[in-house]
Amino acid sequence: MLKIAVLGVGRIGRMHAENIAAHPRAALAGVFDVHGPSAQEVSQKLGVKQFESAEAVFASGEVDAVLIATSTPTHADLLEKAIAAGKPVLCEKPIDLSLERVNACAAKIAGTSIPIMLGFVRRFDTGHRAVRQAIESGAIGDLHQVIITSRDPGMAPASYIEVSGGIFRDMTIHDFDMARFILGEDVTEVSATGSRLVDPALMQKCGDYDTVTVVLKTASGKQCIINNSRRAIYGYDQRVEALGSGGMAISENRPLNTMRLYSESFTDQAAPLMNFFIERYADAFAAEISSFVDAVEKGTPTEVGFEDGRQALILAEAAMLSIAEGRSVNTNEIG
Amino acid sequence: MLKIAVLGVGRIGRMHAENIAAHPRAALAGVFDVHGPSAQEVSQKLGVKQFESAEAVFASGEVDAVLIATSTPTHADLLEKAIAAGKPVLCEKPIDLSLERVNACAAKIAGTSIPIMLGFVRRFDTGHRAVRQAIESGAIGDLHQVIITSRDPGMAPASYIEVSGGIFRDMTIHDFDMARFILGEDVTEVSATGSRLVDPALMQKCGDYDTVTVVLKTASGKQCIINNSRRAIYGYDQRVEALGSGGMAISENRPLNTMRLYSESFTDQAAPLMNFFIERYADAFAAEISSFVDAVEKGTPTEVGFEDGRQALILAEAAMLSIAEGRSVNTNEIG
Amino acid sequence: MLKIAVLGVGRIGRMHAENIAAHPRAALAGVFDVHGPSAQEVSQKLGVKQFESAEAVFASGEVDAVLIATSTPTHADLLEKAIAAGKPVLCEKPIDLSLERVNACAAKIAGTSIPIMLGFVRRFDTGHRAVRQAIESGAIGDLHQVIITSRDPGMAPASYIEVSGGIFRDMTIHDFDMARFILGEDVTEVSATGSRLVDPALMQKCGDYDTVTVVLKTASGKQCIINNSRRAIYGYDQRVEALGSGGMAISENRPLNTMRLYSESFTDQAAPLMNFFIERYADAFAAEISSFVDAVEKGTPTEVGFEDGRQALILAEAAMLSIAEGRSVNTNEIG
Amino acid sequence: MLKIAVLGVGRIGRMHAENIAAHPRAALAGVFDVHGPSAQEVSQKLGVKQFESAEAVFASGEVDAVLIATSTPTHADLLEKAIAAGKPVLCEKPIDLSLERVNACAAKIAGTSIPIMLGFVRRFDTGHRAVRQAIESGAIGDLHQVIITSRDPGMAPASYIEVSGGIFRDMTIHDFDMARFILGEDVTEVSATGSRLVDPALMQKCGDYDTVTVVLKTASGKQCIINNSRRAIYGYDQRVEALGSGGMAISENRPLNTMRLYSESFTDQAAPLMNFFIERYADAFAAEISSFVDAVEKGTPTEVGFEDGRQALILAEAAMLSIAEGRSVNTNEIG
């Protein structure tokens, strides 16, 4: 049993804590949150220790590993401390909104053999993984074109959007990682387009976009199209399509249930899509914990590493530069 | 070019006349209808001869073959006359509502080498044929169970229902033939259930049913379930499902177009189903003409013969007896 | 927290024990199994008490309710003892293979106010429930016809089949309950057909069938068609279709993941279906526990009661009689 | 009956001739082809006049209108002559590969009231039209993002590719028109990416691409993503997806038939897609003729005009410039 402590028990951290508690090969070693009452509630609900500080977690002999689900600006610091304390770490994305800070963090932890895993949970979705497996097995031949459709069911509150770092670092970051996961090859060119259609006033105010398209290209010419919207009224739209020389594989959406309705004015109608990531990726979040436990216990590389987090951020920066200058950006120009 | 005359140009006969006129290997030799103005309209529209009588058609040297689409009670007589005149015949179903009359007709034409084809058009649907092909090719192994779902989009007028011969002879007759087409083996047992749910008063008056289920079984134990309704509000529901030891094949429905709609309250909604047989089986009606032309020109057996029409009627009679006596009926008890 | 003890920790009992342990409003009070090592393993794994006997469970002040997942022949006895001890009980189906024994049990517990729930888990599937909801809400109008397709992915071992009580009491029993759940009205007529196609030798030996069709009819004429096969090679086929005067609702199957594959010879290919009930109905098993906890804590009637178990068994007996005598059987003839 | 002559009876022209001959409100007035034997074969097959020259067609009093389906370099000349002769014209796309030549043609025919229609047939597909209708009716709210997936089933012969004018003018041209049809608003920005993945050697030789992505943006910020491949091994992939503030509409693909196959290793497998445009857009080609007849007979504007052809070509040129310079191109920079 790997004893994992959870730092930060907001919505995602709490879910992770419950998943760890329910995991057959992991145990929840305790929780910590700067907001004491939150930590207390979770510790009581799950019957585990409430730590007084992050430092207490890192110092504890009862903690084998840590999961960082605190607010974004604290990720890099906590990650560095966890590594310094010799604790394997599973860190929610992003490492930091600043590539400079991420690079500094990378320098600090360079050479460590302590397992580090980034929380790009979508890699653990069975549908998306089946697409990658179809590529790796040769089932669809040489990969030519990828389309990642990723649309949130509704705009987050303005207070969140304003500190999110912008759509590319906050939302598309998941798709940049998915693109790298599916492409299996470094991206060299990035071309982005942004629009303000869902909430133009807020977007204008933040200098942000709510509807974006990003086209990525690898050295060998593979293309990946990412399309994002902050609001798909029909639910959380999460699709991955891969075209190869020998076929195509698509990871389709998941409606709330399997019922289909027929009436005088329509047929074969499904329920709305699962809404939101906690529901849609519930299985993937559990599988992510399993993958982390495996890596720590078996000493194998984590499936999503620190460098994956850094590369996704480089693509976000390239997309911002592409929009700013109305041109295709080479990833070498960044980072 | 096979010169075919059409007898009876009501809704179906007219469609046949147009299909023949447009067929690359057939020509429309002319039309006849007891209702002169109907024949006149079609003959003018398609630029072909209007015959004065059925006898004139049979006597004409310009007619290679005939298609019988007159009212049901005239089918058997016209078919006998066509054979007597040496004209190959494509006859709309049913041959007659009376098995006795059909048997008499069979006796009269016994031994003829003139091609006779019955208009069980569904056999020519590409989806249903693909199911049969999946069985014949061994793709789904040994056949175990068949489900034929066949529901009309709306109840026919009372005036039609009253002279239709009842649901089994009028509507299920197509499904009995489809069952035989898919089963590829004689049916030995018939068990039927009938309800009056769509228009109870009319059904009561006619001694008929609007919602029926028939279970057929072959000597080797293969089962076929037919379910019918006189009214499926979502359109003309036409599905065929075949379960075998090695897999399953389903011929699915056809919506009006390929568009799928997503909204706040639903996803993946399709248009209503094609409505009605003229639209749903348009390709099949054209393919039926091709099959007839092939049989006549190549001298090969017709794909649906007189005996197929007789066997379907036997199953209809068995279903009626099954309901009347609340028991499973052996087909040997009929005809 | 409702403290529930589990009696019998074979495959299903163990799953129930894990679900109870993970349930937010239930606690696992302990386990018992006549096979001590099984109980020991589960008790250690989940960190709960291993009871020495069923009697010890019923006598324990630490047990609020019991879940019976022992072998079928012990169900009725344990259920009676649980009620005698005042413990609410969730009992796996069937109550007993003998209707006589079930009736005796019913007499013994008559008038009790202790909650009794039967484990017809499919009622808790979100897809099947959505079909019922479509009926109750009026979304599909008056119900006319129901089709329940229920096929196991593979034949159970001969040793199991031989003591199963036959396909109707062992397998179709679930579908009889689903039929009652969806029809919302008592079944009056039963007509069944059985074949030996999957393993004819074994079926012959047991006087059993591996491929059956049952047609049910209610007093108002609603029809329900159940079709079963002991082996659907493509997985665990679980569909429910309801046709009404205003539309149709279908609960569709669940493939293993959402990936669709396209190649030179096919398109839109899905993965095999989830296989078997533990996977397919995982969510439903968890929801069943929730429903039981609700009934006990709120004092509301259980969603599936003892009488539901008895009625399903009556339909099984009627189906057997129908096949034996080749006729439609009125449910009044049974029980 | 509108008497239409067809100029050019290669594969497409011949299909048009057959469609006109079978059309209820049109008549085939004759055919012409620079390759005499081709014209002769079609004229004999369809029983119509073979004209000796294009000039003879334009001079004929028996010709109400002309359909131009000759080789691309002759389109503009013939179109000008048809207009000069007062004959309404339905011209296959593109008008010309050279925007300069198209502009000259535009100048020459400026002010004419003779109906001119361009053969962008996809606008007449029932699925794609339903998407546009969903937008126009407000069913999906304000349009935000469009994805057009358009992939040919296989690379055309090298001899064709070499004179095609490149993928944007030859293949994407249809998608540029579809984008304009769906967006309902002028495109202002074009950003394109091209790769050589299907036949790198041939593409290198021709300075062409076989795998491209184009992102279009309108003044109001609406985005349209076009993705093309010269080879989708699973068939002719033709999808249109429109995301709006109130929902989404997708025009899906059409497999060869409605059969779905299930086996040990997969479920719900469909047949390959219809292949190629003659089959996939058969209904649309017939509807295109109807639309042309309507416009001529009723004096209403043609549904696809000369300017639509010119605008599509402008987008093609913008895409080429975008790739050449690695930047987003404003359509004002072209033409």
Side-chain angles (χ1 to χ4, degrees), chain A residues 194-195 213 217 221 223 241, chain D residues 194-195 213 217 221 223 239 241:
Chain A
S195 301
T213 298
K217 197 166 137 185
Q223 300 176 357
E241 171 178 332
Chain D
S195 301
T213 297
K217 197 166 138 185
Q223 300 176 357
R239 288 172 280 166
E241 172 178 329

Side-chain angles (χ1 to χ4, degrees), chain D residues 45 47 60 68 106 124 148 169 186 188 237:
Chain D
K45 163 78 171 49
S60 169
I68 300 174
F124 300 95
I148 298 173
R169 282 188 288 213
D186 282 345
T188 53
D237 192 347

Side-chain angles (χ1 to χ4, degrees), chain A residues 19-300:
Chain A
N19 282 346
I20 291 167
H23 196 281
R25 288 179 296 119
L28 184 61
V31 297
F32 164 73
D33 199 295
V34 290
H35 184 245
S38 295
Q40 186 175 18
E41 188 199 341
V42 177
S43 80
Q44 286 177 355
K45 164 79 171 50
L46 298 175
V48 299
K49 176 171 186 172
Q50 177 186 356
F51 286 95
E52 292 305 306
S53 66
E55 284 66 28
V57 172
F58 297 134
S60 169
E62 291 303 299
V63 172
D64 296 335
V66 298
L67 188 153
I68 300 174
T70 52
S71 62
T72 297
T74 66
H75 286 183
D77 280 359
L78 290 173
L79 193 150
E80 289 169 4
K81 286 177 182 167
I83 298 305
K87 306 288 191 199
V89 59
L90 170 48
C91 183
E92 265 302 321
K93 65 93 215 170
I95 304 170
D96 196 278
L97 294 179
S98 151
L99 183 56
E100 199 177 7
R101 177 70 186 89
V102 172
N103 286 339
C105 183
K108 200 151 186 176
I109 63 172
T112 185
S113 62
I114 310 292
I116 302 174
M117 182 159 157
L118 257 286
F120 283 128
V121 66
R122 297 184 195 173
R123 290 197 184 204
F124 299 95
D125 178 74
T126 53
H128 303 341
R129 279 180 100 82
V131 171
R132 177 164 156 152
Q133 174 58 17
I135 297 165
E136 288 181 340
S137 70
I140 63 167
D142 295 329
L143 185 62
H144 287 182
Q145 219 170 29
V146 176
I147 302 178
I148 297 173
T149 295
S150 173
R151 297 164 181 165
D152 280 358
M155 181 76 89
S159 58
Y160 175 86
I161 295 292
E162 286 167 1
V163 300
S164 69
I167 190 169
F168 294 114
R169 281 187 288 211
D170 174 58
M171 182 176 165
T172 323
I173 195 89
H174 276 295
D175 307 303
F176 288 132
D177 184 65
M178 183 53 62
R180 297 184 65 250
F181 179 61
I182 298 293
L183 288 169
E185 190 177 304
D186 282 345
V187 171
T188 53
E189 286 178 46
V190 178
S191 177
T193 304
S195 301
R196 292 160 181 162
L197 299 169
V198 177
D199 189 339
L202 176 61
M203 291 301 115
Q204 187 69 39
K205 182 182 166 197
C206 302
D208 199 0
Y209 304 93
D210 51 36
T211 306
V212 303
T213 298
V214 187
V215 180
L216 309 175
K217 197 166 137 185
T218 69
S220 74
K222 293 176 174 57
Q223 300 176 357
C224 176
I225 302 160
I226 296 169
N227 68 86
N228 289 155
S229 169
R230 284 283 193 182
R231 191 180 67 201
I233 202 170
Y234 52 91
Y236 187 39
D237 193 346
Q238 296 283 297
R239 288 172 281 164
V240 176
E241 171 178 332
L243 168 69
S245 59
M248 178 168 65
I250 303 180
S251 174
E252 297 279 9
N253 276 310
R254 296 192 186 175
L256 284 171
N257 62 56
T258 61
M259 206 258 282
R260 295 280 177 162
L261 201 62
Y262 294 67
S263 86
E264 195 163 9
S265 53
F266 59 79
T267 62
D268 203 25
Q269 180 196 82
L273 303 185
M274 284 180 172
N275 174 2
F276 190 23
F277 61 94
I278 300 266
E279 293 76 23
R280 170 66 176 82
Y281 288 114
D283 295 346
F285 277 114
E288 184 182 64
I289 298 295
S290 288
S291 174
F292 179 60
V293 171
D294 278 352
V296 174
E297 293 197 335
K298 300 179 186 165
T300 49

Side-chain angles (χ1 to χ4, degrees), chain B residues 23-275:
Chain B
H23 196 281
R25 289 177 296 119
L28 185 61
V31 297
F32 163 74
D33 198 296
V34 290
H35 183 246
S38 295
Q40 187 175 18
E41 189 199 339
V42 176
S43 80
Q44 286 178 354
K45 163 78 173 51
L46 298 175
V48 299
K49 176 171 184 169
Q50 177 187 356
F51 286 95
E52 292 305 306
S53 66
E55 285 65 29
V57 172
F58 298 133
S60 169
E62 291 302 300
V63 171
D64 296 334
V66 298
L67 187 154
I68 300 173
T70 52
S71 62
T72 296
T74 66
H75 287 184
D77 280 359
L78 291 172
L79 193 150
E80 289 169 2
K81 287 177 181 166
I83 298 306
K87 306 288 191 201
V89 58
L90 171 49
C91 183
E92 265 302 321
K93 66 94 214 171
I95 303 169
D96 197 275
L97 294 179
S98 152
L99 182 57
E100 199 177 8
R101 178 66 186 93
V102 172
N103 286 338
C105 183
K108 201 153 187 176
I109 63 173
T112 184
S113 62
I114 310 291
I116 302 173
M117 181 159 157
L118 258 287
F120 283 128
V121 66
R122 298 184 194 173
R123 290 197 184 204
F124 299 96
D125 177 74
T126 52
H128 304 340
R129 279 179 100 83
V131 171
R132 177 164 155 153
Q133 174 59 20
I135 296 165
E136 289 180 340
S137 70
I140 62 166
D142 295 330
L143 186 62
H144 287 182
Q145 218 171 29
V146 176
I147 302 178
I148 297 173
T149 296
S150 174
R151 298 166 180 164
D152 279 359
M155 181 75 90
S159 57
Y160 175 87
I161 295 291
E162 286 166 1
V163 300
S164 69
I167 190 169
F168 295 113
R169 281 187 289 211
D170 174 57
M171 182 175 164
T172 322
I173 193 89
H174 276 295
D175 307 303
F176 288 132
D177 184 64
M178 182 55 60
R180 296 184 65 252
F181 180 60
I182 297 293
L183 287 169
E185 190 177 304
D186 282 346
V187 171
T188 53
E189 286 178 46
V190 179
S191 176
T193 304
S195 301
R196 293 160 181 162
L197 299 168
V198 177
D199 189 339
L202 177 60
M203 292 301 115
Q204 186 68 40
K205 183 182 167 197
C206 302
D208 200 359
Y209 304 95
D210 50 36
T211 305
V212 303
T213 297
V214 187
V215 180
L216 309 175
K217 198 165 138 184
T218 69
S220 73
K222 292 176 175 58
Q223 300 177 357
C224 176
I225 303 160
I226 296 170
N227 68 87
N228 289 155
S229 169
R230 284 284 193 183
R231 190 180 68 200
I233 203 171
Y234 52 90
Y236 187 38
D237 192 347
Q238 295 282 296
R239 288 172 281 164
V240 176
E241 172 179 330
L243 168 69
S245 59
M248 176 168 66
I250 304 179
S251 175
E252 296 278 9
N253 276 310
R254 295 192 187 177
L256 284 170
N257 62 56
T258 61
M259 207 258 282
R260 294 281 176 160
L261 200 61
Y262 295 67
S263 86
E264 196 163 7
S265 53
F266 59 79
T267 63
D268 203 27
Q269 180 196 82
L273 303 184
M274 284 180 173
N275 174 0

Side-chain angles (χ1 to χ4, degrees), chain D residues 25 36 69 76 84 98 129 214 223 266 334:
Chain D
R25 290 177 296 119
S98 153
R129 279 179 100 82
V214 187
Q223 300 176 357
F266 59 79
I334 313 291

Side-chain angles (χ1 to χ4, degrees), chain C residues 93 291 308:
Chain C
K93 66 92 213 172
S291 174
D308 290 309

